[in-house]
Amino acid sequence: MSSSVTVRPAKGVRGIGIVSIVAGIVMIIAGVVVWFIVSSTLSDEQITVSEDASMAAGQEVAGPFTAYAQADIINQHAMEASGGMTYAQLDREDPTRDTVMNASFLRASLFTSVVAFGVCALVIGLGVMFILVGYAFSRLGGSSSAAVVSTPTGGPTSTSTA
């Protein structure tokens, strides 16, 4: 003797999946758009990584790695000019203090763009995850399954899904 059991997913699972997929698509689009805006804004500044930089020397600053490379070399140049002293360590009357201050401002601006690129990458990655989770939810919520269960009369229990 056997009986059939139908299992239905909880209500709203498919809807949550669809909303998650849409949110993921929006996140990916937003991340890509902001990435290109930040990249374009950096390119408009026409900054070139200094030739003595440890990486990306001579390249246009338009992405996270070139922005980081330029910020790093600016720091090296400022430290060389100040004898290894930071803005706060320099005497107020030291003429090098303005140079170190400007270097600090430039570095902060470049590091802000590096952080912006990181946030964009994070949002794009989360968008992909939202799409995958949404797809899984929509698959779970989109079908019902039936299982045929045999009574224990010595035969094995068999299951099938429809």
Side-chain angles (χ1 to χ4, degrees):
M1 176 151 70
S2 66
S3 60
S4 176
V5 178
T6 302
V7 179
R8 298 192 198 292
K11 291 186 178 191
V13 174
R14 184 176 176 100
I16 291 170
I18 292 169
V19 168
S20 181
I21 291 170
V22 170
I25 292 168
V26 169
M27 291 173 79
I28 291 171
I29 291 169
V32 169
V33 167
V34 173
W35 181 286
F36 284 114
I37 289 171
V38 173
S39 180
S40 174
T41 302
L42 277 175
S43 291
D44 290 346
E45 293 296 320
Q46 298 179 352
I47 303 167
T48 303
V49 178
S50 183
E51 291 296 331
D52 58 340
S54 60
M55 64 179 198
Q59 293 182 20
E60 177 187 14
V61 175
F65 299 111
T66 53
Y68 180 83
Q70 182 62 17
D72 184 52
I73 197 64
I74 287 172
N75 184 54
Q76 289 178 26
H77 290 167
M79 290 294 106
E80 288 171 10
S82 68
M85 298 176 76
T86 64
Y87 173 79
Q89 295 169 326
L90 290 168
D91 184 68
R92 290 182 185 208
E93 303 303 319
D94 190 332
T96 310
R97 195 165 197 237
D98 286 339
T99 301
V100 174
M101 178 182 64
N102 286 335
S104 178
F105 293 156
L106 291 169
R107 288 180 60 233
S109 294
L110 289 166
F111 281 137
T112 300
S113 67
V114 172
V115 171
F117 283 118
V119 171
C120 289
L122 173 67
V123 169
I124 292 167
L126 286 172
V128 170
M129 289 303 299
F130 268 61
I131 289 171
L132 294 174
V133 169
Y135 176 74
F137 278 0
S138 66
R139 291 280 304 209
L140 286 173
S143 64
S144 62
S145 61
V148 178
V149 181
S150 298
T151 57
T153 59
T157 303
S158 66
T159 60
S160 66
T161 58

